[in-house]
Amino acid sequence: MTVLNGVNGAPPRGKIIQKFGGMCVWEKQMSQDTKGLTATLGTSVGKFPIDIVNVVKSSLAHNDVAVVCSARSSSTKAAGTTNRLLRAATDAENHHSKSFHTLIDAVRADHLETAHFQIKSPEVQARLKQEINEECDLVTRILEAAQTLGETSPRSRDKVMSVGEKLSCRFMTALLEDHGVPASYVDFAELIDFEVPHSLDQNFYDRVAANMAKMLPDFNTKVPVVTGYFGAIPRGLLTTVGRGYTDLCAALLAVGTHAKELQIWKEVDGIFTADPRKVPTAQLIPQISPAEAAELTFYGSEVVHPSTMDQVIRARIPIRIKNVMNPRGSGTIIYPDSPQELENTLTGGVPQLFRSRSSTLIRGLGANRPKRPTAVTMKDKILVVNVHSNKRSLSHGFFAGIFATLDKWRLSVDVISTSEVNISMALHSEAPLYTGGGEDEYKIVDQDLQGAVNDLRSFGTVDIIADMAIVSLVGKQMKDMVGVAGRMFSTLGEHDVNIEMISQGKPPLSTAYDDQQLMQAQVQVRLTSHVSLRGRMQIAH
């Protein structure tokens, strides 16, 4: 007889961590009572709160569930909660500005309005509104103190940013309770009670995961709604981890609680062979390896933060990407295909020093190797920097000097290509690095980029090519796919795409080319005809 959770004969209940977020736009008439009022909200929490409640209710039938929420966004990234809070932190450094009060008031009004129209119970609504006011009052006091000092430290900036996750989680806790689901709000802001190393190593993540499990209330009685922010660290969570820290929080929670699955709920059915907005024939990928998912994330597709995959795969926990608007869909599972691949993922690859590239071995793989790549992805807003050596041959310190300069100015390179007297580097940034729209009108606006260009001139002549994009084919064992590179280059040539750079990695081949949206769509449609549900390659053009 099975006895679990106090119920005789009940099937074993596993633990599932569900993370809700996303950066899409929603404009919807909320009800007849709000006629004329249009709520523009972002993220799953903002756009589909009732759908989230239904997802949690359905999951509770067979599993214990914990929910992790990211902050809500809005119709534009600039109007999102996190960006408003970060702008307020920046504004507070100006002694004479009071704009941060306006930004915090906008965040407060947005969440109070949502509470008013979404929460029906007067008691629950009143409590939520009080919590919203308390959180906004607290962040205002933090910003006023920062203005007195004239600066915001990474720790205080993190505290300001964390209010977005706190407000989001308080809202979801109230909404679940309003719909008859017992829930408890869990704040991980004080989670880290130990000395944090300068570099976040695996021991740090293990201790964070263990602390999360200790702080979490019993799954069996209430659904924990957990803040995606998990504590202040010396250099700041945003600086050290980046915007994907809520995904990482969910992953560490899954590890600490020994969950059977980490579910990341978005507004798409899963991972596709291409961008379905540009390629109507793109297919859903039922399962993908962590390496492939990491490559897709790096080269333009918003999949999962790489650190998230590292932690859960290390703990042998699968990740499932699902659609909050289509909860019945199976989604995409991120997990190694075989025990050998899992072992290679955990150890960092096959531990042989030499790897054979003989044609006999490649032919011998036969039907066991994939015939086509898994997916094609594009990454725009690319800047190609070329450095032409001022010597006939490159000295042994040339590359060391180039990369030391990039490190000094905190510039990350996506694709690199070299010859005896030239090095080309493709750089990407969401923030504008330059401005202008004509060949003679471009002007560098980013100080780090300008500083790097000035220093790179000591190694030779420097020129920049703007408005580029990277195309990548992603897949397992791309190195063994004979003829894939030729088909990719043929497709690009048929559309008069001039390749600026080519880079071949362990799985990928990347090219850089001129960034034109129509051309991108046409090329991507054609490249998709060379893609199957198993396979990868990259290009910058």
Side-chain angles (χ1 to χ4, degrees):
M1 176 183 292
T2 301
V3 180
L4 191 67
N5 298 337
V7 181
N8 293 337
R13 290 175 65 86
K15 295 179 179 179
I16 291 179
I17 308 301
Q18 297 181 331
K19 189 267 178 179
F20 296 94
M23 295 299 297
C24 301
V25 181
W26 177 56
E27 293 189 357
K28 177 179 179 182
Q29 294 299 118
M30 298 183 73
S31 70
Q32 291 295 331
D33 297 336
T34 62
K35 190 173 182 180
L37 174 65
T38 301
T40 307
L41 308 173
T43 72
S44 298
V45 178
K47 297 180 296 177
F48 315 111
I50 304 303
D51 298 86
I52 293 176
V53 171
N54 293 333
V55 166
V56 173
K57 281 184 174 181
S58 176
S59 301
L60 285 171
H62 304 289
N63 300 282
D64 295 328
V65 177
V67 173
V68 179
C69 295
S70 59
R72 290 168 48 205
S73 66
S74 189
S75 57
T76 63
K77 283 191 176 184
T81 302
T82 299
N83 279 317
R84 279 174 169 167
L85 292 168
L86 291 175
R87 283 160 52 205
T90 300
D91 183 77
E93 296 175 352
N94 185 341
H95 283 293
H96 305 290
S97 177
K98 294 296 181 182
S99 296
F100 69 87
H101 284 286
T102 303
L103 291 166
I104 299 303
D105 287 343
V107 171
R108 185 198 306 263
D110 179 37
H111 286 79
L112 287 175
E113 183 180 69
T114 302
H116 179 74
F117 291 109
Q118 292 282 0
I119 307 300
K120 305 305 178 186
S121 166
E123 295 80 10
V124 176
Q125 183 186 120
R127 188 187 72 222
L128 175 59
K129 288 183 175 181
Q130 179 181 348
E131 292 169 345
I132 292 170
N133 282 319
E134 289 174 353
E135 294 289 357
C136 291
D137 289 344
L138 175 60
V139 75
T140 299
R141 290 196 295 272
I142 292 173
L143 291 173
E144 288 173 345
Q147 188 173 50
T148 301
L149 296 173
E151 65 175 1
T152 52
S153 66
R155 185 181 293 267
S156 61
R157 184 174 287 266
D158 275 5
K159 282 186 173 294
V160 171
M161 177 186 65
S162 71
V163 172
E165 279 77 30
K166 292 179 180 180
L167 293 174
S168 179
C169 288
R170 289 193 181 280
F171 167 67
M172 280 310 306
T173 303
L175 190 67
L176 286 168
E177 291 182 337
D178 198 43
H179 285 77
V181 180
S184 60
Y185 168 77
V186 182
D187 184 0
F188 279 162
E190 305 301 326
L191 177 82
I192 300 176
D193 58 359
F194 53 88
E195 185 176 350
V196 179
H198 182 73
S199 177
L200 304 186
D201 55 15
Q202 189 55 46
N203 181 59
F204 167 80
Y205 291 124
D206 291 342
R207 295 186 69 176
V208 169
N211 281 4
M212 285 181 174
K214 292 177 184 177
M215 287 186 63
L216 209 63
D218 191 352
F219 274 48
N220 299 338
T221 56
K222 291 184 177 183
V223 174
V225 182
V226 181
T227 59
Y229 171 82
F230 56 91
I233 57 179
R235 290 189 296 142
L237 192 61
L238 188 63
T239 301
T240 308
V241 178
R243 285 291 184 97
Y245 62 84
T246 52
D247 281 357
L248 179 58
C249 174
L252 294 174
L253 183 59
V255 172
T257 58
H258 307 288
K260 73 175 186 180
E261 187 172 271
L262 168 61
Q263 296 179 352
I264 297 183
W265 291 78
K266 296 178 175 286
E267 291 76 42
V268 293
D269 286 334
I271 302 174
F272 286 81
T273 55
D275 188 341
R277 295 169 299 182
K278 296 178 181 177
V279 185
T281 57
Q283 295 176 278
L284 179 68
I285 303 172
Q287 181 170 346
I288 192 170
S289 71
E292 291 171 314
E295 294 289 352
L296 285 170
T297 299
F298 187 78
Y299 287 102
S301 299
E302 293 186 6
V303 181
V304 181
H305 193 283
S307 296
T308 299
M309 288 185 286
D310 289 344
Q311 297 305 316
V312 291
I313 299 304
R314 179 184 294 272
R316 292 174 168 79
I317 299 171
I319 305 173
R320 189 184 297 270
I321 310 295
K322 297 198 69 175
N323 189 349
V324 72
M325 296 180 290
N326 180 27
R328 294 181 180 273
S330 58
T332 298
I333 295 177
I334 303 176
Y335 200 70
D337 286 338
S338 64
Q340 182 61 49
E341 184 182 345
L342 174 61
E343 189 63 28
N344 290 343
T345 300
L346 297 178
T347 59
V350 182
Q352 286 123 350
L353 179 60
F354 293 98
R355 177 167 54 86
S356 175
R357 287 287 294 152
S358 69
S359 57
T360 302
L361 178 63
I362 293 176
R363 286 196 301 268
L365 292 173
N368 293 327
R369 76 170 189 265
K371 304 299 183 183
R372 295 181 178 181
T374 298
V376 58
T377 184
M378 292 190 180
K379 190 173 187 178
D380 57 5
K381 300 179 182 177
I382 297 296
L383 198 70
V384 173
V385 179
N386 297 302
V387 182
H388 308 274
S389 175
N390 50 20
K391 299 180 181 180
R392 289 197 62 181
S393 61
L394 299 180
S395 65
H396 68 279
F398 177 78
F399 290 115
I402 294 290
F403 291 115
T405 299
L406 296 173
D407 180 66
K408 173 185 175 182
W409 294 101
R410 300 175 295 279
L411 295 178
S412 177
V413 177
D414 284 355
V415 175
I416 186 169
S417 179
T418 65
S419 67
E420 187 179 8
V421 293
N422 180 79
I423 180 170
S424 298
M425 300 166 289
L427 287 71
H428 168 82
S429 176
E430 288 295 336
L433 298 177
Y434 57 92
T435 185
E439 196 169 304
D440 300 321
E441 300 173 9
Y442 287 115
K443 178 182 178 182
I444 296 175
V445 296
D446 183 80
Q447 293 182 353
D448 289 341
L449 177 61
Q450 185 63 67
V453 169
N454 292 340
D455 287 355
L456 288 172
R457 284 180 173 142
S458 64
F459 300 100
T461 60
V462 179
D463 65 73
I464 296 175
I465 308 174
D467 295 330
M468 304 292 283
I470 296 174
V471 172
S472 300
L473 286 186
V474 180
K476 293 176 59 179
Q477 300 179 13
M478 284 285 296
K479 61 184 180 295
D480 298 327
M481 296 183 194
V482 179
V484 168
R487 291 196 296 272
M488 183 178 192
F489 296 146
S490 296
T491 300
L492 295 170
E494 290 171 7
H495 289 82
D496 298 323
V497 177
N498 185 36
I499 298 173
E500 180 67 26
M501 292 175 59
I502 301 174
S503 176
Q504 174 73 54
K506 183 178 179 181
L509 167 65
S510 295
T511 62
Y513 65 99
D514 188 32
D515 179 10
Q516 298 179 24
Q517 296 301 319
L518 180 59
M519 183 187 298
Q520 282 193 17
Q522 291 173 337
V523 170
Q524 198 166 21
V525 170
R526 287 300 306 275
L527 288 177
T528 307
S529 65
H530 301 312
V531 169
S532 71
L533 296 184
R534 262 292 35 113
R536 165 165 183 203
M537 175 168 77
Q538 300 170 343
I539 307 182
H541 54 107

